[in-house]
Each structure stands twice: as structure tokens, then as C-alpha cells.
Amino acid sequence: MKHLNLILATICCLALASCGKESKDSNDSNENVNVTLTPASTTIKGNLKEYFTVVDKSYTAKFEENGDFSRYIISIELERTDVPFKFDTEGVDPVGTVDEDVNGNFGIGIDIIDADGNIAISRSPKADGFYGVYDSDDLRDLFLLDSGETGRVRWIIREFTDYENKKFTFKVSSYLHMEKHSSGSSSSVNSDEDVTGGEMSEDTSSSSHWDSVLDAYEKYVNEYIAVYKKVQAGDASAYTKLASLTEKYQELGEQLENAEDEMTVSQMARLQKISAKLANAIQ
């Protein structure tokens, strides 16, 4: 399923958050170590590559304490080229925006490469929520840049704590999908990569599986938020509930794997609403 990765990524972050306090204690000795990143290429992959390039310099990830959790934030600078946009940027919003006035969606992703040349950490340009950019306004501001001006795109990267060697290279990727919701037709901007395929089906007759899956997802999120608030309030007994939530996560993962249909636009909007509720509660 094309939407499966988005939901699984969100739930995986829940599992990570569940053990966040213990992880923080075990990694105190090496978390607050500078992480440096240099671009493996200034060219952006995907169908926005002619409009933006990566500013060629060394970047340092910023370490932050966030309550019982810790994280790194990376900020990468992109420079606007002198190529005029071949599409109308009006109504083109970041991935995850679902509205009748939205004519398309776009995103920026990043692949972080370790010293052996392997992709260690990846953020898809199609992702939003936990695995998307830090602030969607970073993306919106890119379309406001004049030739030669620079903007930033930020991501939260907690996985840096798993690596002793904190020197990486990276490549930036992009995604753009144009869709006219008002007419019911869609068009994609040509690209040399598979980054434009339509992901939201309007065929509501073939989406019954997703209704029950989303019901289960919403129930899980509500339960997790309730337990999370108890933990934040200092209720030590609430930690025992996290084990059962992990089991439910596995069960929900199986349901997601077995869902055979594409989401409708309204179901995608519901998914975004549930994910936003979770993100707001945690942050």
C-alpha cells in the first residue's frame, strides 16, 4: 500500500517515544555530540531539481532536550535557481495538505549517508507528520524565493543517537504532484523518477477496508495519548501500559498490511487529522 509507510512510520515513532526516557538515560554519554553533514551532491533529485540546488557547505545538526526526550534538528539550505516555474505555484501546498483549494502537493526529502556509503537515515519527500519536515512553512517559503535567494528545510532526526561516527553526507530529493480536485482530473509534472504517481483514489466503493483500519488507528492514538498524559504527569504505573500498546501496534501493523484498497481523499484527510491530533498531544 502506498499509504502504509506513512501510518507505520507514525506508529513506529510512538514505539520509540514509549521507550524514550530509557533511551535518553542510556545515551547521555554520546547524544550531545556534534553531528556534521556535507552534501554528496548539490543537485536535488526529483522533479524540482531544476528550480533549487543545495548550498554547498558543511552543516551541523543541533541537539535539543525536549522534556524526557532528546533529538537533533538539521537545517539544510536550498538556493533558488533562475529557471522559471513551469507550473502555477498558487494552491500547491506541502504534502499532507488535503483541501478543495489545493491544486497539488510537493515535498522535500533527504537521504543521510554513513561513512561506508550506505543510506543510514532517510526522510521521503512524500512523507509528512513525524517523518516529514520539521515545519511545513519551510516548504511554502521555497516558492517565494527569487533567483539566488536561499531558504531552509528542517527535519527532526532522532536516529543520530544510534551512530558513534557522527559525520555524514547527504542527498536531497523532491516530489511534486499536480491535481485539480475541482474537475476530478489530475496531472503530474514529468520527472525522471517515480515521484509523481497519484496516491489518492476517488473510488469510494473499493475503500471499505480503510474505514475499519482508520477506526483502529484512531482508537490506538486516543489510547496512546491517554497513557502518554499519565506518564507526563508522573504516573509510574502508566509505563506498564506501554507494553500492551506495543502489542496493539503489532496487531494494527498486520491490519494495515492486509488492507487491499487505496484511500479516498476523505479518508486521507481523516488520516491527516488523526496524525495531527497525535503530534499536537506529544509536542
Side-chain angles (χ1 to χ4, degrees):
M1 296 300 301
K2 294 181 180 179
H3 296 291
L4 179 60
N5 291 337
L6 173 62
I7 303 179
L8 287 180
T10 302
I11 300 175
C12 280
C13 284
L14 295 183
L16 291 174
S18 300
C19 58
K21 190 175 189 305
E22 291 77 8
S23 297
K24 177 180 181 296
D25 293 339
S26 63
N27 286 302
D28 277 342
S29 60
N30 68 352
E31 271 186 344
N32 199 4
V33 177
N34 285 338
V35 175
T36 59
L37 306 98
T38 54
S41 173
T42 59
T43 300
I44 295 177
K45 298 187 294 182
N47 42 15
L48 293 177
K49 64 182 179 182
E50 60 182 319
Y51 307 116
F52 301 98
T53 60
V54 178
V55 176
D56 192 5
K57 69 175 189 179
S58 179
Y59 296 89
T60 301
K62 180 182 178 182
F63 178 80
E64 289 187 351
E65 293 284 355
N66 184 23
D68 285 335
F69 309 108
S70 58
R71 63 187 185 183
Y72 285 91
I73 295 182
I74 59 173
S75 178
I76 304 300
E77 293 184 28
L78 303 182
E79 181 177 336
R80 178 74 172 92
T81 68
D82 58 2
V83 178
F85 290 114
K86 298 177 182 177
F87 57 93
D88 184 1
T89 60
E90 186 70 24
V92 181
D93 276 4
V95 170
T97 305
V98 180
D99 190 272
E100 62 180 6
D101 295 327
V102 174
N103 296 325
N105 295 110
F106 74 104
I108 300 293
I110 188 170
D111 289 331
I112 299 172
I113 304 165
D114 63 22
D116 296 324
N118 301 313
I119 296 178
I121 304 166
S122 183
R123 296 290 185 265
S124 169
K126 296 182 180 181
D128 69 338
F130 285 106
Y131 272 19
V133 298
Y134 176 76
D135 190 336
S136 58
D137 284 340
D138 288 356
L139 299 181
R140 294 186 178 95
D141 290 344
L142 292 179
F143 282 172
L144 302 179
L145 298 176
D146 291 327
S147 176
E149 291 184 335
T150 60
R152 68 176 180 180
V153 182
R154 294 168 292 174
W155 293 267
I156 294 175
I157 307 291
R158 290 187 173 88
E159 297 96 318
F160 280 142
T161 59
D162 298 331
Y163 293 86
E164 294 182 3
N165 182 354
K166 297 189 182 299
K167 293 184 178 180
F168 301 88
T169 59
F170 67 90
K171 293 181 180 180
V172 173
S173 57
S174 64
Y175 164 78
L176 174 66
H177 176 68
M178 303 296 293
E179 182 168 1
K180 297 290 185 180
H181 295 286
S182 59
S183 64
S185 61
S186 64
S187 60
S188 298
V189 177
N190 291 331
S191 170
D192 56 359
E193 298 182 46
D194 182 20
V195 295
T196 59
E199 292 196 19
M200 293 180 289
S201 171
E202 297 289 351
D203 184 5
T204 56
S205 64
S206 62
S207 61
S208 58
H209 287 145
W210 276 114
D211 287 330
S212 60
V213 171
L214 289 174
D215 287 342
Y217 177 45
E218 185 170 22
K219 182 178 179 181
Y220 181 92
V221 166
N222 289 336
E223 188 173 6
Y224 179 84
I225 290 175
V227 174
Y228 179 81
K229 288 181 178 180
K230 290 182 180 179
V231 171
Q232 291 296 98
D235 185 351
S237 63
Y239 280 101
T240 60
K241 184 65 175 177
L242 296 179
S244 63
L245 285 177
T246 300
E247 294 178 1
K248 287 189 176 182
Y249 149 67
Q250 294 172 345
E251 295 174 2
L252 182 56
E254 293 177 359
Q255 293 182 48
L256 294 170
E257 288 285 2
N258 292 329
E260 299 175 351
D261 306 315
E262 285 297 326
M263 280 187 181
T264 64
V265 171
S266 61
Q267 288 169 333
M268 186 64 180
R270 183 186 176 194
L271 170 62
Q272 301 302 334
K273 184 177 180 179
I274 297 171
S275 298
K277 179 181 180 180
L278 174 62
N280 290 335
I282 292 178
Q283 294 179 2

